[in-house]
Amino acid sequence: MNRAGLRLRQWLLPLLIVLVNTAGAALPAFTPAERARILAHGPWPPPPRLDPGNAWAGRPEAIALGQLLFFEPRLSPDGRLACVSCHLPRQAFADGRARSHGRVALERNAPSLWNAAHERWWGWDGAADSLWSQSLRPLLDGRELASSAAHVRRLVSADAELACHWQRSFGQVPPADDDEALLVLSAKALGAFVGSLVSAPTPFDRFRDALASGDARTAARYPAAARRGLRLFVGRGRCHLCHGGPRLSNGEFADIGAGFFVRPGEVDAGRYAGIQALLRSRYNLLSPLADDPGDDATKTRHVHLQPRNFGEFKVPSLRNVALTAPYLHDGRIATLAGVLRHYSELDLDRLHADGERILEPLHLGADERADLLAFLRSLSDPAARRWSAPPRAACR
């Protein structure tokens, strides 16, 4: 065979294999209930959602300023820390640590910022009801950036590029006599930037969409192990009850029997303390500093502190879950296999005695664990660790 014929054969053979494997393909057989549960996890991406109470969310100029601030270590008075210190693009905007480290070791794991605009509450304890108010906490926390409104004003006013982007974003020079106003607008720019981070569709999304449209050939490309894991996820495992919807999370809080001791004699109260912090915050959606939050403020107006909230933590999104180890609020579980082991061997005595109980030990076999892992790995966008900042335009 001559060289041209060999090249043609090398090109045709993979195509023929695909055609043979997909010829006469039929959609996977799911029950009507399973199919409805699967389709409820999409489509992705969902309609855009803007940071509540933030009139500058979605505006390109505010996003550009927020990006500059996100990577700016001079926001901390000694120039040591920036937002990116705990939310690294190469780690899917997490940091890969069990517990993050600011000026001191912290109590919680840094969650990924991908798709944060679609959250309902922010922080493992839900102490913030908007992205912009969440941005203020690490800025002002003495264990993290340890900044202040006065320091942020001095930085933005003195730096020509930041001041230029500020004026382009807000239509005015940085105010010289209102530290808090400048601080809040800086947080809203940060919220605009973080809110722009939306990850791409995953292998699961392509399968889900193919199932919805009746595209058997595309559906057939989804691995059989992932399909079996998906059936377990929406079936016997009942994982979809908490990890439902396009975000693969209900956005609320739960006790999963993980415990809440930070160290001997010290506990992390989780949602219980989060609600207390939310309601006393000067920067929640009920504050005059929020820009016309409308119906978004309803959740804050009607949230109630209950004893059962003690030790509850946010149900995280499973999008990009394979990229964001370790797991749980304090990173106590190193691998996805360990998470499945936790749910397989769940100790019911560690759960709250009150409230609705939906968790039961799954007693997963080895094959079931392998299938669930295959499904969970299909929920990640491979590009989520390859984000790079767009070229910085000169500001004059």
Side-chain angles (χ1 to χ4, degrees), residues 326-352:
Y327 302 101
L328 276 58
H329 68 281
D330 57 2
R332 69 177 61 197
I333 300 182
T335 65
L336 275 177
V339 174
L340 295 182
R341 189 178 309 113
H342 171 81
Y343 285 106
S344 185
E345 303 168 0
L346 191 67
D347 182 356
L348 294 178
D349 290 336
R350 295 180 68 94
L351 298 177
H352 288 157

mmCIF file of all heavy atoms in Angstrom, residues 326-352:
data_model
loop_
_atom_site.group_PDB
_atom_site.id
_atom_site.type_symbol
_atom_site.label_atom_id
_atom_site.label_comp_id
_atom_site.label_asym_id
_atom_site.label_seq_id
_atom_site.Cartn_x
_atom_site.Cartn_y
_atom_site.Cartn_z
ATOM 1 N N PRO A 326 -9.674 18.594 48.504
ATOM 2 C CA PRO A 326 -10.442 17.650 49.310
ATOM 3 C C PRO A 326 -11.860 18.149 49.567
ATOM 4 O O PRO A 326 -12.213 19.247 49.140
ATOM 5 C CB PRO A 326 -9.642 17.568 50.601
ATOM 6 C CG PRO A 326 -8.981 18.908 50.710
ATOM 7 C CD PRO A 326 -8.693 19.356 49.299
ATOM 8 N N TYR A 327 -12.641 17.361 50.312
ATOM 9 C CA TYR A 327 -14.083 17.555 50.356
ATOM 10 C C TYR A 327 -14.603 17.810 51.777
ATOM 11 O O TYR A 327 -13.948 17.518 52.764
ATOM 12 C CB TYR A 327 -14.780 16.342 49.737
ATOM 13 C CG TYR A 327 -14.316 16.116 48.316
ATOM 14 C CD1 TYR A 327 -13.376 15.134 48.013
ATOM 15 C CD2 TYR A 327 -14.762 16.938 47.274
ATOM 16 C CE1 TYR A 327 -12.918 14.964 46.712
ATOM 17 C CE2 TYR A 327 -14.309 16.780 45.982
ATOM 18 C CZ TYR A 327 -13.394 15.789 45.706
ATOM 19 O OH TYR A 327 -12.933 15.635 44.420
ATOM 20 N N LEU A 328 -15.841 18.316 51.811
ATOM 21 C CA LEU A 328 -16.571 18.743 52.995
ATOM 22 C C LEU A 328 -16.057 20.111 53.458
ATOM 23 O O LEU A 328 -15.052 20.616 52.974
ATOM 24 C CB LEU A 328 -16.526 17.715 54.130
ATOM 25 C CG LEU A 328 -17.586 16.588 54.022
ATOM 26 C CD1 LEU A 328 -17.483 15.811 52.725
ATOM 27 C CD2 LEU A 328 -17.514 15.675 55.222
ATOM 28 N N HIS A 329 -16.774 20.699 54.400
ATOM 29 C CA HIS A 329 -16.491 22.074 54.796
ATOM 30 C C HIS A 329 -15.099 22.252 55.372
ATOM 31 O O HIS A 329 -14.535 23.350 55.311
ATOM 32 C CB HIS A 329 -17.539 22.547 55.817
ATOM 33 C CG HIS A 329 -17.446 21.851 57.140
ATOM 34 N ND1 HIS A 329 -17.943 20.584 57.348
ATOM 35 C CD2 HIS A 329 -16.894 22.239 58.327
ATOM 36 C CE1 HIS A 329 -17.718 20.223 58.597
ATOM 37 N NE2 HIS A 329 -17.087 21.204 59.214
ATOM 38 N N ASP A 330 -14.543 21.181 55.939
ATOM 39 C CA ASP A 330 -13.216 21.280 56.536
ATOM 40 C C ASP A 330 -12.200 20.396 55.819
ATOM 41 O O ASP A 330 -11.114 20.152 56.349
ATOM 42 C CB ASP A 330 -13.267 20.942 58.026
ATOM 43 C CG ASP A 330 -13.852 19.558 58.295
ATOM 44 O OD1 ASP A 330 -14.186 18.844 57.315
ATOM 45 O OD2 ASP A 330 -13.972 19.192 59.471
ATOM 46 N N GLY A 331 -12.541 19.932 54.623
ATOM 47 C CA GLY A 331 -11.605 19.142 53.839
ATOM 48 C C GLY A 331 -11.179 17.842 54.479
ATOM 49 O O GLY A 331 -10.125 17.291 54.146
ATOM 50 N N ARG A 332 -12.005 17.295 55.348
ATOM 51 C CA ARG A 332 -11.597 16.110 56.100
ATOM 52 C C ARG A 332 -11.537 14.847 55.248
ATOM 53 O O ARG A 332 -10.924 13.856 55.654
ATOM 54 C CB ARG A 332 -12.528 15.878 57.288
ATOM 55 C CG ARG A 332 -13.934 15.447 56.913
ATOM 56 C CD ARG A 332 -14.770 15.168 58.153
ATOM 57 N NE ARG A 332 -14.908 16.346 58.980
ATOM 58 C CZ ARG A 332 -15.293 16.318 60.260
ATOM 59 N NH1 ARG A 332 -15.565 15.165 60.832
ATOM 60 N NH2 ARG A 332 -15.419 17.436 60.941
ATOM 61 N N ILE A 333 -12.200 14.858 54.080
ATOM 62 C CA ILE A 333 -12.182 13.681 53.212
ATOM 63 C C ILE A 333 -11.350 14.020 51.984
ATOM 64 O O ILE A 333 -11.644 14.961 51.246
ATOM 65 C CB ILE A 333 -13.596 13.253 52.810
ATOM 66 C CG1 ILE A 333 -14.413 12.922 54.065
ATOM 67 C CG2 ILE A 333 -13.547 12.046 51.885
ATOM 68 C CD1 ILE A 333 -15.833 12.442 53.783
ATOM 69 N N ALA A 334 -10.303 13.229 51.745
ATOM 70 C CA ALA A 334 -9.303 13.578 50.739
ATOM 71 C C ALA A 334 -9.743 13.279 49.317
ATOM 72 O O ALA A 334 -9.300 13.952 48.385
ATOM 73 C CB ALA A 334 -7.991 12.853 51.035
ATOM 74 N N THR A 335 -10.592 12.280 49.117
ATOM 75 C CA THR A 335 -10.897 11.816 47.763
ATOM 76 C C THR A 335 -12.394 11.609 47.575
ATOM 77 O O THR A 335 -13.150 11.447 48.544
ATOM 78 C CB THR A 335 -10.190 10.478 47.480
ATOM 79 O OG1 THR A 335 -10.729 9.473 48.358
ATOM 80 C CG2 THR A 335 -8.682 10.591 47.692
ATOM 81 N N LEU A 336 -12.812 11.556 46.298
ATOM 82 C CA LEU A 336 -14.204 11.228 46.006
ATOM 83 C C LEU A 336 -14.550 9.828 46.481
ATOM 84 O O LEU A 336 -15.662 9.577 46.940
ATOM 85 C CB LEU A 336 -14.460 11.343 44.500
ATOM 86 C CG LEU A 336 -14.797 12.728 43.953
ATOM 87 C CD1 LEU A 336 -14.948 12.665 42.441
ATOM 88 C CD2 LEU A 336 -16.055 13.288 44.590
ATOM 89 N N ALA A 337 -13.605 8.906 46.362
ATOM 90 C CA ALA A 337 -13.845 7.553 46.865
ATOM 91 C C ALA A 337 -14.137 7.590 48.359
ATOM 92 O O ALA A 337 -14.993 6.851 48.865
ATOM 93 C CB ALA A 337 -12.642 6.657 46.567
ATOM 94 N N GLY A 338 -13.453 8.478 49.080
ATOM 95 C CA GLY A 338 -13.709 8.612 50.511
ATOM 96 C C GLY A 338 -15.082 9.181 50.797
ATOM 97 O O GLY A 338 -15.740 8.798 51.778
ATOM 98 N N VAL A 339 -15.556 10.104 49.956
ATOM 99 C CA VAL A 339 -16.906 10.643 50.118
ATOM 100 C C VAL A 339 -17.940 9.528 49.942
ATOM 101 O O VAL A 339 -18.891 9.415 50.727
ATOM 102 C CB VAL A 339 -17.165 11.782 49.112
ATOM 103 C CG1 VAL A 339 -18.614 12.248 49.184
ATOM 104 C CG2 VAL A 339 -16.229 12.954 49.378
ATOM 105 N N LEU A 340 -17.758 8.702 48.921
ATOM 106 C CA LEU A 340 -18.688 7.586 48.715
ATOM 107 C C LEU A 340 -18.637 6.615 49.883
ATOM 108 O O LEU A 340 -19.675 6.065 50.283
ATOM 109 C CB LEU A 340 -18.355 6.875 47.405
ATOM 110 C CG LEU A 340 -18.554 7.699 46.129
ATOM 111 C CD1 LEU A 340 -18.241 6.853 44.908
ATOM 112 C CD2 LEU A 340 -19.973 8.261 46.042
ATOM 113 N N ARG A 341 -17.459 6.405 50.432
ATOM 114 C CA ARG A 341 -17.346 5.526 51.604
ATOM 115 C C ARG A 341 -18.131 6.114 52.775
ATOM 116 O O ARG A 341 -18.805 5.370 53.524
ATOM 117 C CB ARG A 341 -15.876 5.352 51.963
ATOM 118 C CG ARG A 341 -15.617 4.274 53.029
ATOM 119 C CD ARG A 341 -14.126 4.116 53.308
ATOM 120 N NE ARG A 341 -13.379 3.930 52.079
ATOM 121 C CZ ARG A 341 -12.506 4.803 51.593
ATOM 122 N NH1 ARG A 341 -12.286 5.943 52.233
ATOM 123 N NH2 ARG A 341 -11.856 4.557 50.479
ATOM 124 N N HIS A 342 -18.065 7.439 52.939
ATOM 125 C CA HIS A 342 -18.807 8.084 54.028
ATOM 126 C C HIS A 342 -20.306 7.800 53.903
ATOM 127 O O HIS A 342 -20.962 7.427 54.884
ATOM 128 C CB HIS A 342 -18.556 9.590 54.001
ATOM 129 C CG HIS A 342 -19.434 10.370 54.926
ATOM 130 N ND1 HIS A 342 -19.170 10.497 56.272
ATOM 131 C CD2 HIS A 342 -20.599 11.050 54.710
ATOM 132 C CE1 HIS A 342 -20.119 11.219 56.843
ATOM 133 N NE2 HIS A 342 -20.992 11.577 55.913
ATOM 134 N N TYR A 343 -20.852 7.984 52.706
ATOM 135 C CA TYR A 343 -22.289 7.765 52.521
ATOM 136 C C TYR A 343 -22.647 6.282 52.532
ATOM 137 O O TYR A 343 -23.763 5.913 52.910
ATOM 138 C CB TYR A 343 -22.761 8.421 51.220
ATOM 139 C CG TYR A 343 -22.861 9.912 51.332
ATOM 140 C CD1 TYR A 343 -21.922 10.740 50.736
ATOM 141 C CD2 TYR A 343 -23.887 10.510 52.054
ATOM 142 C CE1 TYR A 343 -22.000 12.122 50.844
ATOM 143 C CE2 TYR A 343 -23.978 11.877 52.174
ATOM 144 C CZ TYR A 343 -23.029 12.685 51.570
ATOM 145 O OH TYR A 343 -23.119 14.050 51.702
ATOM 146 N N SER A 344 -21.730 5.443 52.155
ATOM 147 C CA SER A 344 -21.998 4.010 52.174
ATOM 148 C C SER A 344 -22.073 3.483 53.597
ATOM 149 O O SER A 344 -22.891 2.610 53.911
ATOM 150 C CB SER A 344 -20.891 3.274 51.404
ATOM 151 O OG SER A 344 -21.165 1.896 51.310
ATOM 152 N N GLU A 345 -21.228 4.044 54.478
ATOM 153 C CA GLU A 345 -21.126 3.544 55.858
ATOM 154 C C GLU A 345 -21.684 4.550 56.861
ATOM 155 O O GLU A 345 -21.284 4.569 58.020
ATOM 156 C CB GLU A 345 -19.660 3.256 56.166
ATOM 157 C CG GLU A 345 -19.027 2.261 55.199
ATOM 158 C CD GLU A 345 -17.514 2.190 55.328
ATOM 159 O OE1 GLU A 345 -16.956 2.930 56.174
ATOM 160 O OE2 GLU A 345 -16.891 1.410 54.579
ATOM 161 N N LEU A 346 -22.607 5.378 56.448
ATOM 162 C CA LEU A 346 -23.124 6.483 57.254
ATOM 163 C C LEU A 346 -23.548 6.026 58.651
ATOM 164 O O LEU A 346 -24.257 5.027 58.814
ATOM 165 C CB LEU A 346 -24.331 7.094 56.539
ATOM 166 C CG LEU A 346 -24.862 8.416 57.066
ATOM 167 C CD1 LEU A 346 -23.862 9.531 56.832
ATOM 168 C CD2 LEU A 346 -26.187 8.743 56.395
ATOM 169 N N ASP A 347 -23.094 6.774 59.648
ATOM 170 C CA ASP A 347 -23.463 6.500 61.038
ATOM 171 C C ASP A 347 -24.672 7.365 61.386
ATOM 172 O O ASP A 347 -24.553 8.564 61.618
ATOM 173 C CB ASP A 347 -22.277 6.822 61.954
ATOM 174 C CG ASP A 347 -22.563 6.513 63.421
ATOM 175 O OD1 ASP A 347 -23.708 6.116 63.739
ATOM 176 O OD2 ASP A 347 -21.643 6.678 64.245
ATOM 177 N N LEU A 348 -25.841 6.753 61.444
ATOM 178 C CA LEU A 348 -27.070 7.508 61.699
ATOM 179 C C LEU A 348 -27.087 8.160 63.070
ATOM 180 O O LEU A 348 -27.780 9.154 63.283
ATOM 181 C CB LEU A 348 -28.283 6.595 61.533
ATOM 182 C CG LEU A 348 -28.535 6.069 60.114
ATOM 183 C CD1 LEU A 348 -29.732 5.127 60.102
ATOM 184 C CD2 LEU A 348 -28.763 7.220 59.150
ATOM 185 N N ASP A 349 -26.322 7.629 64.009
ATOM 186 C CA ASP A 349 -26.305 8.201 65.350
ATOM 187 C C ASP A 349 -25.639 9.575 65.377
ATOM 188 O O ASP A 349 -25.801 10.326 66.347
ATOM 189 C CB ASP A 349 -25.567 7.273 66.314
ATOM 190 C CG ASP A 349 -26.352 6.004 66.596
ATOM 191 O OD1 ASP A 349 -27.590 6.026 66.435
ATOM 192 O OD2 ASP A 349 -25.735 4.986 66.970
ATOM 193 N N ARG A 350 -24.899 9.904 64.317
ATOM 194 C CA ARG A 350 -24.237 11.209 64.269
ATOM 195 C C ARG A 350 -25.131 12.289 63.663
ATOM 196 O O ARG A 350 -24.773 13.470 63.657
ATOM 197 C CB ARG A 350 -22.944 11.116 63.454
ATOM 198 C CG ARG A 350 -21.888 10.213 64.082
ATOM 199 C CD ARG A 350 -20.650 10.192 63.207
ATOM 200 N NE ARG A 350 -19.989 11.496 63.215
ATOM 201 C CZ ARG A 350 -18.986 11.825 64.028
ATOM 202 N NH1 ARG A 350 -18.526 10.931 64.886
ATOM 203 N NH2 ARG A 350 -18.434 13.010 63.970
ATOM 204 N N LEU A 351 -26.290 11.905 63.134
ATOM 205 C CA LEU A 351 -27.200 12.869 62.525
ATOM 206 C C LEU A 351 -28.093 13.505 63.578
ATOM 207 O O LEU A 351 -28.326 12.937 64.645
ATOM 208 C CB LEU A 351 -28.070 12.187 61.467
ATOM 209 C CG LEU A 351 -27.332 11.568 60.273
ATOM 210 C CD1 LEU A 351 -28.333 10.883 59.361
ATOM 211 C CD2 LEU A 351 -26.565 12.626 59.512
ATOM 212 N N HIS A 352 -28.640 14.675 63.251
ATOM 213 C CA HIS A 352 -29.594 15.321 64.146
ATOM 214 C C HIS A 352 -30.767 14.397 64.429
ATOM 215 O O HIS A 352 -31.233 13.655 63.550
ATOM 216 C CB HIS A 352 -30.147 16.605 63.501
ATOM 217 C CG HIS A 352 -29.145 17.716 63.458
ATOM 218 N ND1 HIS A 352 -29.231 18.748 62.567
ATOM 219 C CD2 HIS A 352 -28.035 17.966 64.201
ATOM 220 C CE1 HIS A 352 -28.225 19.583 62.758
ATOM 221 N NE2 HIS A 352 -27.502 19.132 63.736
#
